[in-house]
Amino acid sequence: MEAVSRKTITVGVNGEQYEREVDARRLLIHFIRDDLDLTGSHIGCDTGNCGACSVLLDGTLVKSCMMLAVQADGAKIETVEGLASEGELNGLQQAFSDHHALQCGYCTPGMLMSATALLRENSSPSEEEIRKAIQGNICRCTGYVNIVEAIKAAAQ
Amino acid sequence: MTETTVTPERPLVVEEGDVKPGFIGQSVPRKEDKRLVQGEGVFFDDVKRHEMGYVHFVRSPYAHARIKSVDVSKALELDGVYGTLTGDEVAILTDPFFELSTPPGANIKDYALAVGRVRHVGDPVAAVVARTRELARDAAELVEVEYEPLPHVLDGEESLKDEVVLHEDAGSNTVWSGVFDWGDFDAALVDADHVVRIERLHFDRFSSTPLECSGCLVEYNRGTGQWTIHGNHQMPGVGAIWMAPALRVGIDKLRFVSQDIGGGFGNKITLHPQYTACCLLARKLNRPVQWTEWRTDQHTANTHGNERTFLDVTVPVKADGTMLGFSVRAIDDCGAFPRYEPLGCIIWAQVTPGCYRWRNVRVDFTQVCTNKSPVAPNRGYSRMQHLWLTERIVDIVAGELGLDPIEVRKKNYVKHEEFPYETPNGCIYDSGDYARCLDIALDLVGYDSLEEKRREAESRGKLFGIGIGSTLDSGTNNFGQSMILNPELQFSGNNEVATVKLDIFGEIVVTLGTVPQGQGHETTASQVVAEILGCTPDEVNVRAGHDTYWNSTAGFSGTYASQFAVTGLGAVKGATEKLAGEMRQLAAAVFGCSPDDIELVESQARIKGNPEAALPFMALGAILNANNAGLPTDLDVTLNVRHVYRPPFEKPDLERKYGNLTLTYATQIHACALEIDAETGVYEIVDYAAVDDCGNRIHPQIVEGQVHGATAQALGAATHEIFTYDEEGNLLTPNFYDYHVPHALDMPPMKTGFIESTSPFTPLGAKGMGEGGGAGIHAVCAALQNALGRRGEGPIVWRSCNPYESVWDLLQKPEETRKLVSVESR
Amino acid sequence: MLLREVEYARPASVQEALRLLGANDGARALAGGQTLINVMKARAASPDVLVDLADIGELRGIELGSDGTLEIGAMTTYSDIIGSAEARARPILGEVCNQIADVQVRNRGTMGGNVCSNDPTNHLPPLLVAIGATMTIVGQNGERSVPAEEFFLGVYMTAVGPGELLTKIFVPPGKGDGFASVPIGKDGTCIVNVAASLDGGAPRLAIGCVDAVPVLLRPDSAEDDAVRAAVRSANLDPPWDVHASADYRRHLAEVLALRAVAQAAGRT
């Protein structure tokens, strides 16, 4: 095995297989947004604090700006685009709308992925558990009040 | 007192729970949500074009330096680099952006890139365009810039001395200065039983840091000489006024397009330098170019909120606690370039006496440049700083004279029965009931059991404090106030546009002039249209976002200054009413009756009392657009109506600096209870209430969301968010590691309350309310003050941002801040 | 956000990783990347080669020995520790891991990455020093064992030399531990953190954020006066930065030392 600066990788995103050649230095978020044109996941910082780029990698919640695309070779990725089926919002998405848990909507995709990860592990989280689950997702519009309410409602 | 006609269509105060007919006042589902929760929004960075290049700016590492040379040759040699732009080119290809100030500020030369000199760390010196984002950054590192460092100045007061001058052409760091003097302050001093003096207060530098940073994708059409800017500018009308003359083109050559914007809060109002650079690059390289600002860039070199120092605050007070006004010397630090400034030198005057009946106010205001990032109108712009001053005055005076901060507020508040209330400088507070809002806030935090809570906290070794922040969110500017700063400026009044049409298949299409960033304009506009046309909001298609070429914009179009509920919806209402009139005219022509006989209900135009005689909207649209033979020749109907809403403003009296500067005043009264760990200075907000009165609420859920968000931003600004510089002028909080915005775990439990005092001046009785006036900052400062000391003892909370160490410091050395305050009693 | 050019390899064994690390002076091991990728985004560091340890199964996992010693693979994530039944043998480990950053970072960040980056504000360096952990380092010339208190050498510097790898962390049994910190906000960067352990005789205290490496103190007893005296006699000279002055850090060190010891005392 030798180290390479460019590599062909295969990833599954929302059930679709993609094979692309990428620079080793390319961040996973840029691969998803720019190379695959899946622009639902966002970038809100450059230090891994804001969580707008959160995706599920083999079922685990990660920030896609904190890893390289080549690290995801062979992985299955879930992004916000995979939550609804055929245009029908899932329960969590609907709860976000019902409870006005989004204003500008920029943090929303990452927030939804964090909430998805939480609810898969814990179907009836407490308010404290919800806040802890989204502590890595910054929202500058809502003060989190309605986001917490929406996740509570979706859990029920 | 100006004579004012008050004709509220609804009772002045509407109790929560009242059922309102129609769609206005209902929390209908937001139209924006469906795309946004699926990741199907379109933000600027989502837009791609074939063969586009990525822009990376080369930025200054120095706070102040002369640029000796810029050499881009190595960058150009890198494979995949498309081209560069330097300050020298910019100086040839463009004119400086116009300045709003009188001299000295008027003489400042501000370009798209630094010309000859850099004036803050992060100041863009050159730009590189390359095939990938990474290559553009690689190439930017290869640009060789030779600097000759110059002495710099980072402090506003220091800058006043002009020992280091940032802008040679201006010859001074002062951008603008002036004295505002209303009532008779000297007489008030004579009348006073006590005079309280506060030597110094400081409002710290922070910003709302929208989660989406700035950026754009610019295309140049060589054939027409026209640029299309897919961006997130939140005030493109004014952006174009800056850019077109600088680029030496007509204003129609600039087309601004945006769909979704990831928050703005004022931070996206002064993007004209970066956008101009991108326009030049798109033209020079003949390819679309895309610029994405990163978080560090935004913190370092985009926009901050105004930093303001208040000196020699003097407050005459009567024995019964009535305050007669105040005088102050204010020094506002706008950073390296004024850009939207010096408007902040007058905007505060919209709320001159805060919520209080103070008649004698003297303000000596000076704005200066420093070698720090420029400022822009951050949420609560300029009023927030001033309202923080008024609230600090109330709490410090109460503390020093042993008055109850609640009672002293109620004694000095403008009374419910006094509205509309004219302030000493001629602003008209339209409606409100501050004392009632305060009572609700106190009730929500259980003020009755305050002493019990204090004892309980003290038994756990904590210091307990409670504080009030009472503020006004003034909305719908009269741009005539700019003439108080500079009589030469040709700006006054305000306007906003909406276009409403009934299309061929009966589709109702609404085009706004605004540039929403999360405020739900599509939704609230549809409510207003549906209510007037007798259909449902679902049947109303409000175009998402903004496009200059939709021709639905006017000079002041944009989303800023708490005004959509007034100007935006005023325009929608006006256009829809015109359209409704045309629909009735058309139906009347078809039925051969009078338009007065036609009513619009259930998505039909029908003859009153005869529901069988009905034309569905689709029929109206089809008849006019595609089947119009035989219609009366004098039927002047287009079913496509553009309306400009223009608020009722006069030009101010420039001599007296007097006039109505803004149309509406929403009220926010907040109450904060907190506990301090005296050993560490760490404090925690344990109870919090925000009470809002924005007149008639169009969409209560959206209003409450704005309250939550404005509060969160204020709590961040009060506790941790501060732009701190080191001695060399490097920003020490350039990212979300070091600049700690509230996380989900940081937010306290929050209770909200509302009353609705209808505005007598606006089309829907509503008021703009998005900014919140920084009530949370004022409330936290007041609560800290309350926890830290009793009458005449304990430290003085003199800064707006109080991180844990500051609180610990205040506790360690109370005498250091105590000496800032003195009382003279007669 | 945009990294400099870099080469990448993902070996399947420690031996292969060592070979790759040894083959290039500019090679660095990539663990969870929750520090290193960030540093590379800022272009504050730009390794020539990244040797991704993700596929090396032997570096992952938590085993509880018969004597109660925990053997933790360097690539074990914070979330692994938090969720592990074995790791509860030393409860403080999961508790502190649960205070690090956020869910996403805990899911990828590793024990080994945390200690090898040795950012002075990290949680684990003082904790592992206080509880007397031992690190196993492997190089071309074999394996050696280094106590935590000798592992940390300077800011971003540890006993892991060029071409070497941290493979395992051994944690002795115990439960009389405490951890106290003042972060920025509820969950931001630590301004000061202190770990305390009262297991195994004399108290061990390790103070973080006040020096390039955790400051280990051994007060005579767990009494307040003894702890206070130990902190004072350490003559701490903490750094000043935008989040705290040296004075404030020095003061917090003392307050938090008392709190960490009090928590530990409540658990013995």
Side-chain angles (χ1 to χ4, degrees):
Chain A
M1 138 145 350
E2 284 317 313
V4 291
S5 61
R6 202 166 161 77
K7 190 172 182 229
T8 299
I9 62 169
T10 309
V11 292
V13 185
N14 304 325
E16 190 107 358
Q17 284 295 110
Y18 296 88
E19 193 180 283
R20 293 282 190 285
E21 196 185 0
V22 292
D23 282 349
R25 62 164 157 173
R26 179 137 276 220
L27 293 170
L28 179 59
I29 182 62
H30 279 140
F31 176 72
I32 293 171
R33 286 181 49 78
D34 291 352
D35 297 352
L36 303 185
D37 202 22
L38 292 166
T39 54
S41 308
H42 294 148
I43 300 171
C45 73
D46 47 14
T47 49
N49 292 89
C50 83
C53 65
S54 298
V55 300
L56 292 164
L57 183 91
D58 291 330
T60 301
L61 185 72
V62 303
K63 291 177 180 166
S64 60
C65 78
M66 296 270 264
M67 58 186 290
L68 307 173
V70 288
Q71 288 179 276
D73 188 13
K76 286 192 172 60
I77 293 171
E78 295 165 74
T79 70
V80 67
E81 287 94 340
L83 293 181
S85 58
E86 296 178 11
E88 280 295 303
L89 304 188
N90 73 15
L92 181 67
Q93 290 169 307
Q94 190 60 50
F96 265 57
S97 179
D98 292 345
H99 291 266
H100 190 33
L102 62 149
Q103 291 181 26
C104 78
Y106 197 75
C107 76
T108 308
M111 202 64 87
L112 286 166
M113 298 320 286
S114 291
T116 299
L118 168 70
L119 295 178
R120 278 185 194 171
E121 279 184 14
N122 182 350
S123 58
S124 55
S126 66
E127 170 150 351
E128 188 65 17
E129 286 168 333
I130 293 171
R131 287 184 182 268
K132 185 97 177 149
I134 58 168
Q135 71 179 141
N137 294 76
I138 290 173
C139 172
R140 293 301 275 153
C141 294
T142 67
Y144 309 99
V145 182
N146 290 341
I147 294 174
V148 172
E149 289 306 313
I151 297 173
K152 260 188 218 167
Q156 281 162 4
Chain B
M1 181 102 190
T2 316
E3 201 168 312
T4 319
T5 316
V6 186
T7 51
E9 290 169 23
R10 295 177 190 201
L12 209 54
V13 175
V14 179
E15 294 294 334
E16 259 243 268
D18 280 3
V19 180
K20 297 164 193 168
F23 296 105
I24 294 178
Q26 310 295 327
S27 295
V28 303
R30 276 209 337 164
K31 284 179 173 287
E32 295 84 350
D33 291 353
K34 194 168 183 198
R35 64 175 184 269
L36 293 172
V37 298
Q38 296 185 82
E40 289 177 345
V42 178
F43 297 84
F44 86 87
D45 197 56
D46 303 340
V47 181
K48 296 180 176 67
R49 289 292 179 269
H50 184 63
E51 288 293 297
M52 69 193 217
Y54 293 92
V55 178
H56 201 98
F57 286 106
V58 178
R59 295 178 183 278
S60 168
Y62 292 101
H64 199 188
R66 199 167 69 79
I67 301 169
K68 293 176 76 175
S69 65
V70 179
D71 182 354
V72 297
S73 55
K74 286 196 178 125
L76 287 169
E77 283 166 18
L78 193 69
D79 188 34
V81 171
Y82 296 144
T84 60
L85 186 74
T86 64
D88 286 348
E89 288 172 85
V90 167
I92 294 165
L93 297 170
T94 67
D95 291 322
F97 301 114
F98 80 88
E99 295 293 334
L100 292 164
S101 185
T102 48
N107 299 325
I108 288 171
K109 288 197 174 64
D110 185 12
Y111 287 97
L113 294 173
V115 174
R117 227 195 243 211
V118 290
R119 295 180 175 87
H120 65 98
V121 171
D123 207 356
V125 177
V128 179
V129 181
R131 195 180 65 239
T132 69
R133 298 177 191 273
E134 291 88 349
L135 272 174
R137 186 172 181 189
D138 293 348
E141 288 185 334
L142 296 174
V143 174
E144 292 173 350
V145 185
E146 202 182 341
Y147 296 98
E148 177 189 321
L150 297 169
H152 54 263
V153 59
L154 301 168
D155 174 76
E157 280 172 87
E158 202 58 38
S159 170
L160 273 180
K161 296 176 187 164
D162 281 341
E163 285 169 5
V164 171
V165 174
L166 271 78
H167 298 280
E168 286 169 307
D169 297 304
S172 166
N173 292 328
T174 297
V175 176
W176 188 90
S177 67
V179 176
F180 302 80
D181 201 350
W182 299 298
D184 189 343
F185 185 75
D186 292 330
L189 273 184
V190 173
D191 281 352
D193 298 306
H194 310 279
V195 176
V196 179
R197 292 191 170 82
I198 310 161
E199 197 179 302
R200 169 182 297 272
L201 295 166
H202 186 81
F203 193 94
D204 288 298
R205 197 172 250 259
F206 78 101
S207 94
S208 296
T209 57
L211 196 59
E212 179 203 38
C213 293
S214 304
C216 58
L217 179 139
V218 179
E219 299 174 88
Y220 182 66
N221 182 326
R222 209 159 263 268
T224 63
Q226 172 250 330
W227 283 280
T228 302
I229 302 163
H230 302 267
N232 52 14
H233 201 297
Q234 68 180 97
M235 206 172 174
V238 174
I241 292 175
W242 261 305
M243 289 171 64
L247 286 162
R248 302 167 187 152
V249 298
I251 208 153
D252 199 50
K253 298 297 181 200
L254 294 170
R255 176 186 182 189
F256 288 82
V257 181
S258 59
Q259 180 179 308
D260 297 298
I261 296 181
F265 315 118
N267 293 202
K268 291 169 177 165
I269 285 180
T270 50
L271 299 177
H272 51 279
Q274 298 94 327
Y275 279 17
T276 300
C278 291
C279 285
L280 293 174
L281 282 163
R283 185 174 68 186
K284 176 178 175 179
L285 306 178
N286 197 23
R287 68 166 73 235
V289 300
Q290 205 265 17
W291 166 58
T292 304
E293 177 185 60
W294 306 111
R295 175 62 46 195
T296 303
D297 300 330
Q298 196 202 49
H299 285 214
T300 312
N302 191 343
T303 58
H304 295 170
N306 294 54
E307 184 175 359
R308 198 170 293 170
T309 307
F310 300 101
L311 300 171
D312 307 327
V313 185
T314 306
V315 192
V317 190
K318 299 292 282 181
D320 69 351
T322 303
M323 298 180 205
L324 302 175
F326 66 92
S327 74
V328 66
R329 195 153 66 88
I331 298 165
D332 189 273
D333 168 2
C334 74
F337 294 94
R339 306 230 160 119
Y340 201 81
E341 298 302 325
L343 288 183
C345 300
I346 184 68
I347 298 278
W348 61 269
Q350 297 170 6
V351 292
T352 294
C355 298
Y356 305 101
R357 306 162 78 227
W358 299 343
R359 305 302 308 172
N360 310 289
V361 178
R362 182 183 292 160
V363 178
D364 179 347
F365 200 106
T366 304
Q367 185 172 64
V368 291
C369 285
T370 57
N371 293 108
K372 296 188 287 198
S373 176
V375 300
N378 196 69
R379 194 178 200 169
Y381 178 39
S382 190
R383 293 99 84 214
M384 172 169 58
Q385 289 81 346
H386 185 76
L387 290 161
W388 179 76
L389 167 70
T390 64
E391 290 302 278
R392 286 283 70 219
I393 286 176
V394 170
D395 284 299
I396 292 172
V397 167
E400 296 309 298
L401 300 181
L403 305 168
D404 181 299
I406 305 297
E407 290 312 313
V408 85
R409 278 190 169 78
K410 287 187 175 174
K411 180 176 272 302
N412 286 280
Y413 275 159
V414 174
K415 307 266 181 284
H416 173 51
E417 56 275 15
E418 292 173 323
F419 290 100
Y421 176 85
E422 190 185 81
T423 67
N425 60 319
C427 292
I428 312 292
Y429 288 2
D430 51 344
S431 61
D433 190 343
Y434 308 156
R436 176 139 180 253
C437 290
L438 175 55
D439 282 335
I440 296 171
L442 293 175
D443 198 41
L444 288 170
V445 297
Y447 190 70
D448 287 347
S449 51
L450 167 67
E451 287 313 315
E452 198 180 312
K453 285 177 179 160
R454 196 187 297 279
R455 277 194 301 277
E456 193 275 326
E458 282 169 356
S459 76
R460 287 182 282 111
K462 298 287 174 73
L463 302 172
F464 180 88
I466 193 159
I468 305 300
S470 35
T471 76
L472 299 171
D473 187 349
S474 51
T476 306
N477 277 340
N478 176 358
F479 280 86
Q481 62 205 287
S482 64
M483 301 172 75
I484 293 177
L485 303 174
N486 181 357
E488 302 291 311
L489 290 178
Q490 301 297 313
F491 295 119
S492 70
N494 197 327
N495 53 22
E496 189 50 277
V497 183
T499 308
V500 184
K501 67 173 172 176
L502 181 64
D503 225 325
I504 187 163
F505 295 126
E507 194 186 22
I508 300 154
V509 181
V510 180
T511 312
L512 304 173
T514 57
V515 191
Q517 314 116 33
Q519 297 88 345
H521 290 182
E522 291 164 50
T523 305
T524 49
S526 76
Q527 291 174 266
V528 172
V529 173
E531 184 136 320
I532 296 168
L533 294 186
C535 60
T536 66
D538 285 345
E539 294 172 274
V540 180
N541 169 29
V542 184
R543 285 178 176 170
H546 178 100
D547 186 334
T548 317
Y549 275 23
W550 287 337
N551 195 27
S552 192
T553 62
F556 296 120
S557 282
T559 297
Y560 59 92
S562 295
Q563 62 177 34
F564 182 71
V566 178
T567 57
L569 293 182
V572 169
K573 179 170 181 276
T576 311
E577 283 168 349
K578 283 183 189 168
L579 177 67
E582 289 197 354
M583 288 162 69
R584 277 196 290 268
Q585 268 180 278
L586 178 61
V590 173
F591 287 128
C593 63
S594 157
D596 294 340
D597 296 334
I598 303 290
E599 61 179 357
L600 303 176
V601 277
E602 294 171 358
S603 310
Q604 297 175 330
R606 65 191 188 200
I607 298 175
K608 287 176 192 166
N610 180 10
E612 298 300 307
L615 283 169
F617 286 178
M618 182 173 169
L620 289 177
I623 289 168
L624 187 85
N625 285 296
N627 190 12
N628 51 40
L631 287 177
T633 50
D634 60 349
L635 181 70
D636 185 13
V637 165
T638 64
L639 297 188
N640 186 353
V641 179
R642 181 178 190 269
H643 179 77
V644 180
Y645 169 74
R646 204 170 61 235
F649 282 128
E650 299 294 327
K651 286 184 181 167
D653 177 340
L654 304 185
E655 198 58 36
R656 295 163 62 207
K657 300 186 171 75
Y658 184 95
N660 194 17
L661 307 184
T662 195
L663 195 68
T664 64
Y665 290 84
T667 314
Q668 277 86 26
I669 311 282
H670 290 205
C672 167
L674 54 76
E675 294 182 5
I676 304 174
D677 173 356
E679 274 191 314
T680 59
V682 173
Y683 58 96
E684 181 169 13
I685 296 169
V686 293
D687 211 344
Y688 199 93
V691 177
D692 179 82
D693 176 5
C694 62
N696 299 346
R697 291 177 299 163
I698 310 297
H699 190 296
Q701 200 183 39
I702 287 178
V703 167
E704 190 178 25
Q706 291 290 322
V707 170
H708 292 155
T711 303
Q713 293 195 350
L715 297 184
T719 52
H720 301 295
E721 290 182 40
I722 181 164
F723 288 127
T724 307
Y725 285 81
D726 71 8
E727 287 177 1
E728 298 305 314
N730 296 300
L731 180 65
L732 298 174
T733 46
N735 54 48
F736 282 149
Y737 259 121
D738 292 314
Y739 186 90
H740 185 87
V741 300
H743 297 176
L745 287 169
D746 291 311
M747 283 300 292
M750 205 196 303
K751 297 158 183 162
T752 50
F754 300 91
I755 67 168
E756 293 187 331
S757 303
T758 299
S759 174
F761 303 143
T762 65
L764 294 159
K767 310 181 185 190
M769 55 77 57
E771 301 185 62
I777 306 176
H778 323 324
V780 169
C781 287
L784 286 171
Q785 182 82 60
N786 182 256
L788 290 173
R790 295 288 113 71
R791 179 178 182 173
E793 299 163 11
I796 301 294
V797 175
W798 68 282
R799 293 181 68 156
S800 63
C801 184
N802 291 279
Y804 304 147
E805 182 174 1
S806 300
V807 173
W808 182 72
D809 259 350
L810 288 169
L811 275 164
Q812 300 311 301
K813 297 166 238 166
E815 65 288 349
E816 286 200 4
T817 53
R818 175 121 291 286
K819 70 182 181 203
L820 294 174
V821 174
S822 64
V823 180
E824 178 195 335
S825 293
R826 281 98 183 236
Chain C
M1 281 298 281
L2 310 164
L3 286 66
R4 287 209 181 92
E5 279 211 59
V6 68
E7 292 184 2
Y8 172 87
R10 199 197 294 179
S13 70
V14 169
Q15 278 318 309
E16 183 70 1
L18 290 174
R19 186 188 65 76
L20 285 159
L21 287 168
N24 189 322
D25 287 346
R28 274 193 71 170
L30 174 64
Q34 303 301 284
T35 300
L36 182 56
I37 297 291
N38 255 351
V39 169
M40 291 174 71
K41 275 152 61 177
R43 298 198 173 188
S46 299
D48 298 326
V49 180
L50 286 175
V51 180
D52 186 353
L53 307 179
D55 279 356
I56 307 177
E58 60 191 289
L59 291 179
R60 217 174 267 277
I62 306 159
E63 280 178 39
L64 182 60
S66 54
D67 65 345
T69 299
L70 280 168
E71 180 185 328
I72 302 170
M75 283 293 284
T76 304
T77 65
Y78 312 129
S79 292
D80 291 340
I81 298 279
I82 295 163
S84 152
E86 288 79 13
R88 270 170 222 138
R90 191 98 199 202
I92 195 77
L93 279 175
E95 290 168 23
V96 172
C97 283
N98 204 26
Q99 293 175 34
I100 297 172
D102 50 52
V103 182
Q104 294 92 321
V105 170
R106 292 194 288 271
N107 282 344
R108 281 195 68 79
T110 64
M111 295 285 284
N114 190 294
V115 296
C116 287
S117 63
N118 190 30
D119 183 312
T121 65
N122 277 1
H123 294 67
L124 294 183
L127 179 68
L128 296 185
V129 168
I131 64 179
T134 310
M135 324 306 216
T136 301
I137 299 170
V138 177
Q140 297 287 11
N141 304 322
E143 191 175 283
R144 63 202 166 96
S145 187
V146 178
E149 58 204 78
E150 293 167 21
F151 181 82
F152 301 102
L153 301 179
V155 178
Y156 312 126
M157 283 166 55
T158 68
V160 181
E164 290 187 322
L165 270 185
L166 171 73
T167 54
K168 286 187 176 62
I169 298 167
F170 288 90
V171 175
K175 62 182 169 54
D177 307 318
F179 190 86
S181 67
V182 170
I184 304 162
K186 280 275 166 55
D187 53 1
T189 310
C190 287
I191 296 173
V192 174
N193 55 26
V194 181
S197 179
L198 302 182
D199 286 316
R204 286 169 66 92
L205 272 175
I207 306 176
C209 317
V210 294
D211 205 337
V213 300
V215 175
L216 176 64
L217 301 175
R218 296 161 181 269
D220 295 335
S221 78
E223 297 299 318
D224 282 2
D225 287 347
V227 171
R228 206 175 273 124
V231 177
R232 289 187 186 169
S233 65
N235 289 321
L236 297 175
D237 183 19
W240 171 96
D241 64 24
V242 66
H243 301 303
S245 67
D247 280 348
Y248 185 52
R249 283 208 164 88
R250 200 177 295 115
H251 167 76
L252 287 183
E254 192 172 314
V255 174
L256 295 175
L258 292 168
R259 290 182 184 181
V261 169
Q263 186 189 25
R267 292 170 166 196
T268 45

